[in-house]
Amino acid sequence: MARKHDEFTFLDVLYRVCDALCEGESREFTRDNGVTRFRRDKDNVFFVEGPFVAVSLSLPSVRVSMNGISDQDGKPLEVDKDDIAGLTGRLINLDYEMVQAKVLPAA
């Protein structure tokens, strides 16, 4: 299914946030609500798991690529822009300074 223009924008930001937070092949963040883990595969697809994914998308983990979001088995998910924005916002809060430096435009 072809994505709409605004879906590209929201997915692009989510992908860049995952890239900034992962900082290599893998990284994890521990917070009061649990551990959020990022893993990057050789194709630059991010496997993201943890409480922020569960709250935002009702799944324990997802794969984020420039082509879309899929479940842990690679099945494409229909995710609307509000859900993508919610997940992105939660992930940004894991390390705002890192995301600001790598993703957000300079003011």
Side-chain angles (χ1 to χ4, degrees):
M1 181 176 164
R3 294 187 308 170
K4 297 177 211 158
H5 175 67
D6 61 344
E7 290 172 338
F8 276 107
T9 302
F10 281 89
L11 181 62
D12 292 344
V13 172
L14 174 60
Y15 183 86
R16 291 193 321 254
V17 166
C18 290
D19 185 44
L21 292 171
C22 192
E23 282 192 313
E25 291 183 24
S26 66
R27 188 171 181 201
E28 67 179 43
F29 297 87
T30 303
R31 298 292 185 266
D32 291 341
N33 63 345
V35 179
T36 300
R37 292 181 180 88
F38 294 85
R39 285 193 316 261
R40 179 193 320 253
D41 73 10
K42 63 180 172 45
D43 297 319
N44 279 325
V45 174
F46 296 95
F47 179 74
V48 185
E49 65 178 329
F52 293 137
V53 176
V55 166
S56 301
L57 304 178
S58 300
L59 293 168
S61 62
V62 291
R63 294 181 183 281
V64 177
S65 74
M66 288 303 295
N67 296 319
I69 299 174
S70 58
D71 68 11
Q72 65 184 9
D73 298 322
K75 179 183 172 192
L77 299 173
E78 293 289 327
V79 181
D80 68 30
K81 66 182 179 181
D82 292 333
D83 292 336
I84 294 171
L87 176 58
T88 302
R90 288 177 178 96
L91 295 177
I92 287 170
N93 286 327
L94 289 170
D95 190 342
Y96 179 78
E97 289 78 19
M98 173 72 70
V99 173
Q100 183 180 30
K102 292 188 173 188
V103 177
L104 302 175

